[in-house]
Amino acid sequence: MDWSGNAAKFEGLNAFTGSVSSTSIAGKSADLTGFARPNSDVIINGTALARADSTGTWSFSVNGLSIGDNSIQIENWLDGAKVGEISVIASLKVTALTATASSTPVNDDRVTISGTGEHGAVIVIKNAEGVVVGTSAADAATGRFQTTVNAPNEGGSHTFIAEQSIGGTAAGSVQVSFDYGTALSVTSPADELVVPAGPVTFSGRGTAAGSITIREEGKPGVLAAATVLANGNWVAPSFSVDGSEHTFTVTQLSKGNNTTTAKVTLNPGASNVRDLVVATPVDGGTVPSTGGRITVTGTGQPGSDVSITASNGRLAGTGKVAADGTFSFPAVFNSVFYNATVKQVAPTGQTQSKSIGFTVVASDGVNLPFSVTSPTTNGTVRSTNKMITVTGNGKAGAAVKITAANGRIAGQGVVGADGRYSFPAEFQALPYTATVTMTPAMGAAENITITNFTVVANEGVNLPFRVTAPVTNGTASSTNKMVTFTGEGKAGATIRIIAASNGRMAGQGVVGADGRFSVQAEFAALKYSAYVDMVPTAGAKETITVSDFTVVSTDGVNKPFRVTAPVSNGTAPSVDKMVTFRGEGTAGDTVKIIAASNGRLAGQGVVDQNGDFSVQAEFAALKYTAHVDMVTPSGMKETITVTDFQVTAQ
């Protein structure tokens, strides 16, 4: 062979050379170059083959290397014989990973982990348990990275592990710690402490600048809030509790968006008394009487005694709250205006009272022979959520109840003015014998026994509870101050609409068998927030809050309530002892004129669609003071008093 002057370069085995010309960390490769015998073979790591050209120059790219130092064996072969052998080192060195953890003064901001790594590397952040809590990529130009991590929701120092990888291969890791500070603790009051009714103050320890909130389980809104001082102490403003059991959740939001909580139960085991709600009579409304009796209904704490007392102290009627939280009992009131007090005495001894004013109007109604139309002996009746409907005829105003054979009162209601009754009663899907009892306000009770009737379950659709209208921050149309609430829920459940500002029950209805409801509730043309309660026949109550919805009236003209005639200390002409009261108000509302001296209803009328009213009221030629009431369709009332007006006969 003619090596053309290169013989000196290739004398003996030492004439064979090779070196690393460049490396690629991302590609895990290295470029090799060198000299060998012209037109000879160069074998890399026993398998890869390169070929030296006519000048003896060769080159080759080696792939599949590892991060770190790689030993590469190179051999030169000519005519089947090895004529040279060398070894080179290809080093794939990566930038060492660094990381630090920091937070801002804003509690809502999560902890930031930042640092430097190999340019373009993938950075994964794990917690001490190995769970990935953050990811980032090192900048291709600078190697800088930054990511935020979820808080552990625990106090103290927590370790995070930053790992970098290049092309799926681990390329180093580093640990970094962050101190989330002191977890929330409540030092006062102690858990399960028994406290009297009245103010209670919460205090404790936490992380400086942490935000403290206190809520009661099962109720909306924040009861108290505080900020942790620099010394780690916090004290929340006092709020009041009653003597029943209450469970509070205390939450601290501190640096790094870290949330820690504590629960405190006060008066464990004490009765949690339900509020007294009077459904009828409606305050400011009119109630019919049958035989000098009205029916008092509402909801309260099961097992409580309920009574209604006239303003002169006369006890007019008593009853008891049933297991489902409802009550219904007769009370003695003649046809006149009354101020009365309904009182609930819970089994625990706690009392609640509601004052109501109402007008009783005689309406003896239809008195039909007592009968039961459903269920029937040997018949079948369908139930929804274990509730059937009991129907029949009887004496208007009489109380009706159905009692199972074991003595359990399954349901109760009242005979309407048309002589008919219909009320729900609880019966599971089984055969039954039961007794229906009618107790009139005056006279003996009557009983009818229904034997061997079979209840068949027909539960209907049970949809997740939601309110579709009105919506938070939306608008709602009203007609006669009535807004329609719609939504979905559990078939047969009771829906209650409660004004958030004062706890007023604005409307009530039932979820239909198709799982949907549409309930009318009274709201004037203003902005409101309301609680919508779904109370199933079995199970816990659910509540949805609809906030800041604006009611837009579709009624006639709604003017501010005022009386233009007669005026206080003025004169009022009468014709046949009738005085005309004039004024302005809300279209469709009822106007009542009541003599202040004896509560006599002297006249009644309605505000017209223009917002005006003209009502005839009976007053002889004397001096009077009168109350002028404007009453909404559901019984809400406004009152203006006209004092010392002189009636003159015409």
Side-chain angles (χ1 to χ4, degrees):
M1 292 185 182
D2 182 7
W3 292 349
S4 303
N6 288 320
K9 188 180 293 184
F10 302 110
E11 292 177 354
L13 293 179
N14 293 330
F16 177 48
T17 67
S19 62
V20 177
S21 61
S22 66
T23 59
S24 171
I25 295 175
K28 298 179 185 176
S29 64
D31 292 333
L32 307 179
T33 60
F35 287 98
R37 297 181 187 277
N39 301 313
S40 63
D41 292 327
V42 178
I43 298 177
I44 315 297
N45 285 337
T47 57
L49 181 65
R51 184 78 176 173
D53 64 16
S54 60
T55 66
T57 301
W58 65 271
S59 63
F60 191 79
S61 291
V62 180
N63 297 314
L65 301 181
S66 302
I67 302 298
D69 291 336
N70 295 264
S71 177
I72 303 174
Q73 303 299 316
I74 311 172
E75 298 176 352
N76 187 203
W77 288 72
L78 181 65
D79 297 331
K82 182 166 66 175
V83 295
E85 182 179 7
I86 58 177
S87 176
V88 298
I89 300 297
S91 296
L92 302 185
K93 299 294 186 182
V94 300
T95 303
L97 181 65
T98 66
T100 58
S102 61
S103 69
T104 73
V106 180
N107 288 334
D108 288 340
D109 291 344
R110 296 186 298 171
V111 166
T112 297
I113 295 182
S114 59
T116 57
E118 181 62 37
H119 298 190
V122 175
I123 311 298
V124 175
I125 311 298
K126 298 179 180 178
N127 61 20
E129 290 73 38
V131 177
V132 176
V133 293
T135 60
S136 182
D139 186 80
T142 65
R144 292 286 302 169
F145 72 89
Q146 178 176 301
T147 186
T148 57
V149 295
N150 293 328
N153 295 333
E154 298 176 351
S157 180
H158 285 261
T159 299
F160 299 96
I161 302 169
E163 299 177 347
Q164 74 172 344
S165 62
I166 302 170
T169 300
S173 64
V174 65
Q175 288 189 354
V176 60
S177 296
F178 184 83
D179 187 356
Y180 281 91
T182 303
L184 170 79
S185 63
V186 178
T187 55
S188 179
D191 187 30
E192 299 192 347
L193 182 69
V194 176
V195 299
V200 62
T201 303
F202 278 64
S203 61
R205 298 277 298 166
T207 301
S211 299
I212 306 296
T213 55
I214 303 174
R215 292 177 170 85
E216 182 172 1
E217 288 190 354
K219 294 185 178 180
V222 175
L223 291 172
T227 300
V228 182
L229 302 177
N231 62 7
N233 295 324
W234 60 266
V235 179
S238 300
F239 56 89
S240 294
V241 298
D242 59 27
S244 61
E245 178 177 322
H246 299 272
T247 297
F248 302 95
T249 299
V250 187
T251 302
Q252 172 186 250
L253 177 64
S254 55
K255 61 180 179 178
N257 197 37
N258 195 44
T259 300
T260 52
T261 62
K263 287 191 176 183
V264 176
T265 298
L266 301 181
N267 303 324
S271 176
N272 196 359
V273 177
R274 291 174 57 178
D275 288 340
L276 169 67
V277 176
V278 180
T280 59
V282 174
D283 187 27
T286 299
V287 59
S289 68
T290 302
R293 302 289 196 275
I294 68 170
T295 301
V296 182
T297 65
T299 59
Q301 178 64 30
S304 298
D305 292 317
V306 184
S307 62
I308 184 168
T309 305
S311 57
N312 62 2
R314 177 178 63 86
L315 181 63
T318 61
K320 207 168 191 69
V321 182
D324 65 354
T326 64
F327 61 82
S328 176
F329 61 89
V332 178
F333 286 99
N334 294 317
S335 300
V336 72
F337 176 82
Y338 288 93
N339 285 309
T341 300
V342 180
K343 182 179 181 181
Q344 171 182 266
V345 181
T348 57
Q350 292 173 271
T351 63
Q352 293 184 17
S353 297
K354 299 285 185 181
S355 295
I356 53 177
F358 55 92
T359 300
V360 177
V361 178
S363 177
D364 286 340
V366 178
N367 295 326
L368 299 177
F370 181 39
S371 65
V372 180
T373 56
S374 180
T376 60
T377 293
N378 298 318
T380 299
V381 62
R382 293 190 174 276
S383 68
T384 299
N385 291 325
K386 301 179 183 178
M387 302 299 288
I388 70 170
T389 301
V390 181
T391 61
N393 302 322
K395 188 173 183 179
V400 184
K401 66 180 179 180
I402 185 168
T403 307
N406 61 1
R408 175 179 63 90
I409 297 177
Q412 54 187 342
V414 177
V415 180
D418 61 355
R420 294 175 171 82
Y421 61 85
S422 177
F423 60 87
E426 183 179 1
F427 287 96
Q428 299 186 39
L430 292 169
Y432 289 93
T433 291
T435 299
V436 181
T437 302
M438 179 182 75
T439 306
M442 299 181 66
E446 298 181 55
N447 296 308
I448 295 176
T449 299
I450 311 300
T451 60
N452 297 324
F453 67 92
T454 301
V455 176
V456 178
N458 180 24
E459 298 297 350
V461 178
N462 292 331
L463 300 177
F465 182 36
R466 70 187 186 108
V467 178
T468 55
V471 297
T472 292
N473 298 318
T475 59
S477 298
S478 70
T479 302
N480 292 328
K481 297 186 178 178
M482 300 303 287
V483 174
T484 301
F485 281 67
T486 61
E488 298 173 342
K490 189 172 185 179
T494 297
I495 299 296
R496 296 173 182 165
I497 316 299
I498 300 169
S501 61
N502 57 9
R504 172 179 62 88
M505 181 178 289
Q508 183 168 309
V510 177
V511 180
D514 62 352
R516 294 174 172 82
F517 65 85
S518 178
V519 178
Q520 295 289 302
E522 182 183 6
F523 291 96
L526 293 169
K527 180 175 283 189
Y528 296 89
S529 290
Y531 305 132
V532 183
D533 291 345
M534 180 177 73
V535 186
T537 54
K541 177 182 75 174
E542 295 182 58
T543 299
I544 293 175
T545 301
V546 182
S547 302
D548 297 326
F549 63 94
T550 301
V551 176
V552 178
S553 175
T554 61
D555 302 335
V557 177
N558 297 331
K559 297 178 180 178
F561 181 39
R562 70 188 187 109
V563 179
T564 57
V567 297
S568 292
N569 301 310
T571 59
S574 70
V575 177
D576 294 330
K577 299 183 180 180
M578 300 301 290
V579 175
T580 301
F581 281 68
R582 295 184 176 88
E584 297 175 340
T586 300
D589 281 5
T590 298
V591 176
K592 298 178 180 180
I593 316 300
I594 300 167
S597 61
N598 57 8
R600 175 178 59 89
L601 181 64
Q604 182 170 307
V606 176
V607 181
D608 65 24
Q609 290 300 299
N610 296 318
D612 302 317
F613 67 84
S614 177
V615 178
Q616 295 290 303
E618 182 181 3
F619 290 96
L622 293 170
K623 183 176 283 190
Y624 293 92
T625 291
H627 304 307
V628 183
D629 292 345
M630 182 174 72
V631 185
T632 68
S634 69
M636 292 181 62
K637 178 178 69 175
E638 293 182 60
T639 299
I640 293 175
T641 301
V642 182
T643 60
D644 297 324
F645 62 94
Q646 179 67 52
V647 177
T648 59
Q650 298 293 309

